[in-house]
């Protein structure tokens, strides 16, 4: 099985501190993390910093598993995309944390911090929908496909449901672009021992739901909910493809 046959694109939304960034950081390495929220310093990663404006991607030397790009403006996002689209890079995964903040950077590029004009809202829609499709398509790159594209988003309550926080039609179209749209949250349950307090469980909902936007097109191989012990992007990829009867591992040179 070639790399392009074992890929996953996913957008994860949920409330603050629910574990979006932590889950995204489990994507296969080496990975590049576009950090627009400055939260990478709290993640269990071995990092190196990369500034795409002044250098090519770092070489894999065993000292890092995540190249962090601090996103201060929208042009930085485009510079990283151009490297990934060229295929001349060492990365297996792309993480964007978060697309909601990157959208703000894009809007600032278009309108500064002045009042946004109607035409600029249309430009924002074209930029963001185009960007999301382009980064998803990196999993289908002809020479160096990414194993995972993982996008995090804030969540907002609109039209009776929790949905990824994006402006206008971007919020409606975004869930359709990716293999999985997941809503991550923490839930409290009574402890089996009545002398103990409640315990907290983190869960990723990926099946249809009336309370929040979620869904998948991986054939139900992960079920409706990914439980806390399996909240790992690499594990999810393994489960999806090991359960796929239409794919078959390619033997290595030793025939294993």
């Amino acid at each position: 099985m070639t790399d392009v046959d074992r890929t996953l694109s996913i957008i994860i939304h949920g409330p603050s501190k629910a574990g979006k960034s932590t889950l995204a950081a489990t994507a296969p390495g080496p990975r590049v993390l576009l950090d627009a929220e400055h939260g990478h310093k709290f993640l269990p990663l071995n990092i190196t910093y990369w500034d795409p404006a002044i250098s090519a991607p770092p070489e894999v030397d065993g000292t890092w598993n995540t190249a962090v790009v601090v996103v201060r403006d929208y042009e930085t996002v485009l510079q990283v995309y151009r490297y990934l689209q060229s295929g001349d890079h060492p990365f297996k995964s792309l993480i964007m944390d978060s697309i909601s903040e990157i959208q703000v950077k894009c809007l600032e590029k278009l309108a500064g911090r002045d009042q946004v004009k109607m035409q600029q809202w249309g430009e924002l829609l074209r930029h963001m929908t185009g960007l999301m499709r382009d980064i998803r398509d990196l999993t289908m790159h002809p020479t160096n496909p990414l194993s995972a594209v993982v996008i995090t988003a804030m969540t907002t309550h609109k039209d009776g449901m929790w949905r990824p926080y994006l402006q206008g039609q971007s919020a409606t179209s975004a869930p359709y672009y990716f293999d999985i749209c997941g809503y991550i949250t923490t839930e409290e349950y009574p402890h089996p021992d009545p002398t103990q307090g409640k315990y907290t469980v983190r869960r990723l909902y990926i099946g249809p739901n009336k309370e929040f936007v979620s869904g998948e097109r991986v054939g139900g191989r992960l079920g409706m909910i990914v439980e806390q012990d399996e909240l790992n992007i690499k594990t999810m990829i393994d489960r999806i493809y090991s359960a796929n009867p239409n794919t078959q591992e390619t033997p290595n040179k030793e025939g294993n």
Side-chain angles (χ1 to χ4, degrees):
M1 183 185 298
T2 62
D3 285 346
V4 75
D5 293 322
R6 283 181 58 91
T7 63
L8 180 68
S9 60
I10 178 171
I11 183 168
I12 306 161
H13 68 113
S16 176
K17 311 302 185 291
K20 299 183 292 293
S21 301
T22 301
L23 175 56
T26 63
R31 59 189 78 87
V32 56
L33 166 58
L34 284 166
D35 186 2
E37 298 191 345
H38 306 291
H40 66 272
K41 54 186 176 290
F42 303 113
L43 297 173
L45 301 170
N46 295 323
I47 69 170
T48 187
Y49 288 99
W50 173 36
D51 184 347
I54 62 176
S55 68
E59 294 185 3
V60 177
D61 59 7
T63 64
W64 60 274
N65 57 28
T66 307
V68 173
V69 177
V70 177
V71 178
R72 296 185 175 89
D73 54 52
Y74 187 64
E75 181 58 30
T76 301
V77 177
L78 299 181
Q79 288 168 337
V80 171
Y81 170 73
R82 286 192 283 268
Y83 272 111
L84 297 177
Q85 199 278 331
S86 75
D88 187 16
H89 65 84
F91 306 118
K92 291 297 183 184
S93 300
L94 165 65
I95 302 168
M96 299 183 73
D97 190 20
S98 69
I99 193 68
S100 306
E101 285 287 348
I102 288 172
Q103 178 182 247
V104 173
K105 304 292 187 187
C106 182
L107 188 57
E108 287 182 346
K109 176 185 178 182
L110 296 172
R113 296 192 176 179
D114 299 328
Q115 184 173 352
V116 183
K117 299 176 182 178
M118 183 66 69
Q119 178 182 352
Q120 291 166 331
W121 285 119
E123 291 179 34
L124 178 67
L125 173 64
R126 289 191 294 275
H127 274 281
M128 296 311 298
T129 55
L131 175 68
M132 287 186 286
R133 292 196 307 270
D134 287 343
I135 60 175
R136 172 205 61 193
D137 290 349
L138 292 170
T139 62
M140 298 177 281
H141 192 278
T143 61
N144 193 10
L146 294 178
S147 295
V149 167
V150 186
I151 311 301
T152 72
M154 301 174 191
T155 194
T156 186
H157 199 261
K158 184 178 180 182
D159 299 329
M161 297 182 73
W162 293 97
R163 58 186 70 242
Y165 179 58
L166 289 163
Q167 293 292 337
Q169 285 298 111
S170 298
T172 302
S173 57
Y176 293 94
Y177 295 149
F178 303 97
D179 298 325
I180 294 175
C181 176
Y183 179 82
I184 193 168
T185 188
T186 54
E187 300 175 349
E188 285 190 342
Y189 294 94
H191 199 282
D193 182 349
T195 65
Q196 303 293 318
K198 294 180 178 180
Y199 67 95
T200 301
V201 175
R202 182 173 288 116
R203 313 178 94 188
L204 179 70
Y205 288 85
I206 63 173
N209 195 286
K210 295 181 179 180
E211 297 182 21
F212 38 77
V213 174
S214 58
E216 52 87 17
R217 57 184 181 208
V218 296
R221 298 183 183 99
L222 298 177
M224 300 276 285
I225 302 171
V226 181
E227 300 290 356
Q228 181 166 290
D229 291 344
E230 296 184 326
L231 283 177
N232 182 292
I233 300 298
K234 186 176 184 301
T235 299
M236 291 166 64
I237 293 173
D238 290 341
R239 283 188 58 194
I240 290 168
Y241 291 100
S242 66
N244 185 353
N246 296 318
T247 60
Q248 183 175 359
E249 294 288 349
T250 301
N252 60 24
K253 291 182 180 180
E254 286 71 34
N256 296 322

